[in-house]
Amino acid sequence: QVQVVQSGAEVKKPGASVKVSCKASGYTFTKYGISWVRQAPGQGLEWMGWVSAYSGHAEFAQKFQDRVTMTTDTSTDTAYMELRTLRSDDTAVYYCAGTGIIAAATLDYWGQGTPVTVST
Amino acid sequence: EIVLTQSPGTLSLSPGERATLSCRASQSISSSYLTWYQQKPGRAPRLLIYAASSRATGIPDRFSGSGSGTDFTLTISRLAPEDFAVYFCQYYGSSLGTFGQGTKVEIK
């Protein structure tokens, strides 16, 4: 069965970087993409971007263009999202999701979420 | 940039009642890329409906999606206790994804 497992909670200071991992199993990783979505406390879902595990091509929401990197490691079926220059309003749960497996652009299989706290 | 507006913000209903959730796009969009998700407290979202009207695997047939152009609807024909949750619509197009702000379905 498909599983998507993310790395554990992080606490960072403002200005630091965070790198979240997302390991997929149960499907052919390189045929699809991985999307990243975040959710601030008590708020809705915010699409950050996605990366093709096949080509490495990534697309980002404009607000993250200058601060985010999304990569994949096909040797371990793992995706990574690095967010730099963290601010307090980056405090959120960060989700990854296997994308495009069931249908085009659908976020099909979600990880459990990685809480990231940005605080002095 | 496409903006998705969901209404109502909160829907207060009793088990067994019908729920009708709306998702309106700021301009006409392809229904092929309109998706609905369910999220329960403390949990990751779950795929419900894709391509506006196709149920994902394992989703009960009391859930249905419809719509085209700018207006899309998620209907839950008879609310079961486990259906009380937050529902988000989402669109992917022109290399960008966007979510609606969500509709909370709560027990009346």
Side-chain angles (χ1 to χ4, degrees):
Chain A
Q1 75 281 18
V2 175
Q3 278 195 303
V4 180
V5 179
Q6 299 183 224
S7 50
E10 302 266 10
V11 179
K12 297 291 182 181
K13 294 193 183 304
S17 299
V18 67
K19 191 171 187 178
V20 179
S21 69
C22 168
K23 182 169 176 58
S25 60
Y27 70 94
T28 305
F29 183 72
T30 51
K31 289 182 70 173
Y32 305 103
I34 294 286
S35 297
W36 291 89
V37 174
R38 74 179 186 180
Q39 187 169 38
Q43 302 301 308
L45 301 174
E46 182 175 27
W47 186 84
M48 298 181 69
W50 82 283
V51 58
S52 166
Y54 172 73
S55 66
H57 174 72
E59 295 168 341
F60 312 118
Q62 188 166 11
K63 69 178 289 185
F64 300 109
Q65 290 272 2
D66 297 333
R67 297 198 293 139
V68 74
T69 302
M70 295 179 185
T71 58
T72 60
D73 180 346
T74 57
S75 69
T76 58
D77 291 354
T78 302
Y80 299 90
M81 186 281 299
E82 182 179 35
L83 189 62
R84 300 177 291 277
T85 320
L86 291 167
R87 307 185 288 254
S88 58
D89 62 357
D90 291 317
T91 294
V93 177
Y94 288 75
Y95 293 103
C96 65
T99 299
I101 302 164
I102 294 174
T106 51
L107 281 63
D108 304 314
Y109 300 103
W110 294 66
Q112 80 277 20
T114 297
V116 175
T117 302
V118 183
S119 174
T120 55
Chain B
E1 180 185 337
I2 303 291
V3 176
L4 299 178
T5 302
Q6 293 187 239
S7 61
T10 301
L11 203 48
S12 298
L13 295 168
S14 301
E17 289 193 295
R18 181 184 188 89
T20 303
L21 289 67
S22 172
C23 176
R24 179 162 291 175
S26 57
Q27 61 191 81
S28 184
I29 61 174
S30 169
S31 59
S32 297
Y33 298 101
L34 192 284
T35 310
W36 290 93
Y37 301 88
Q38 177 194 66
Q39 187 180 34
K40 296 181 179 180
R43 304 288 300 271
R46 176 174 75 145
L47 174 67
L48 280 183
I49 300 284
Y50 63 93
S53 60
S54 297
R55 275 188 303 277
T57 303
I59 302 303
D61 60 8
R62 62 180 179 272
F63 289 92
S64 63
S66 63
S68 63
T70 60
D71 292 311
F72 298 87
T73 301
L74 174 68
T75 301
I76 310 171
S77 59
R78 288 169 54 176
L79 282 163
E82 61 269 28
D83 298 338
F84 291 91
V86 181
Y87 294 84
F88 295 94
C89 59
Q90 188 241 345
Y91 175 70
Y92 181 83
S94 301
S95 303
L96 288 176
T98 185
F99 286 93
Q101 80 278 22
T103 290
K104 182 180 182 180
V105 179
E106 66 177 22
I107 300 176
K108 186 174 181 181

